[in-house]
Amino acid sequence: MMRRGHEGPEMEIFHLLRAVTVEYGLRQAEFAAEHGMHVTDVRALICLLDAERAGIDATAGFLGAGLGLNSAGTTGVVDRLERLGLVSRARDVRDRRRVLLRVEDRAKELGWSYFGPLIDRTVGVLSGFDERQTAAVRLFLTTALDALTARDR
């Protein structure tokens, strides 16, 4: 384990990762402000889009767990996003007791119009990496995410 004050290449990379996350958070806040949302609303959209990509049925309970919100807080987020026309609620056809959350195309279009250039630039950088470099980036980001989400504090 590194001690405070040790500024090796590992710490330099950690500081770069922190700078990237701070900068991305600022972009999320700008996007939220431009579209009458809270930053938590943007996080909710990301959570729902990730679930959609993974083929997971997203319910309010799923979203609340992903955001670390209680039931009332989750309802507030979903209500705001629904009022903005960015998320809809629909009964699950397999289990009518469940209500599923769906990200509307309008939300995807807004997201792409704002974050698309950033995504394109990032993908462009990664496309110049060889397979080994790409694997190293993936491994680092996966294990860094695991470290961030570890609950053994």
Side-chain angles (χ1 to χ4, degrees):
M1 169 154 247
M2 292 198 166
R3 301 213 184 285
R4 279 183 241 186
H6 187 268
E7 290 294 324
E10 297 87 357
M11 286 303 292
E12 178 187 1
I13 290 170
F14 177 82
H15 292 304
L16 285 168
L17 177 61
R18 186 182 62 194
V20 167
T21 59
V22 167
E23 196 63 33
Y24 190 67
L26 291 172
R27 298 297 151 257
Q28 288 178 324
E30 288 174 1
F31 175 79
E34 284 183 22
H35 298 287
M37 291 186 273
H38 297 273
V39 175
T40 302
D41 299 340
V42 178
R43 289 179 43 229
L45 288 171
I46 292 167
C47 184
L48 293 172
L49 288 167
D50 288 346
E52 182 180 297
R53 265 193 310 281
I56 297 169
D57 288 338
T59 62
F62 170 86
L63 181 61
L67 297 175
L69 294 176
N70 63 23
S71 180
T74 304
T75 298
V77 168
V78 174
D79 286 348
R80 277 194 306 274
L81 291 173
E82 191 173 43
R83 269 194 310 277
L84 291 167
L86 303 176
V87 167
S88 61
R89 292 174 168 110
R91 290 269 172 214
D92 184 342
V93 294
R94 294 178 308 264
D95 181 351
R96 300 290 299 160
R97 296 168 297 179
R98 286 189 348 150
V99 175
L100 302 178
L101 302 175
R102 180 179 176 274
V103 177
E104 293 295 322
D105 289 341
R106 178 173 183 274
K108 295 173 186 178
E109 291 163 8
L110 285 174
W112 273 108
S113 70
Y114 189 89
F115 292 103
L118 167 65
I119 293 168
D120 289 343
R121 287 190 302 271
T122 304
V123 168
V125 168
L126 287 168
S127 69
F129 288 12
D130 64 30
E131 284 183 39
R132 243 184 70 226
Q133 291 169 316
T134 302
V137 171
R138 183 180 299 108
L139 176 62
F140 170 71
L141 291 174
T142 301
T143 55
L145 180 59
D146 289 346
L148 284 167
T149 58
R151 298 292 181 200
D152 59 348
R153 295 173 209 167

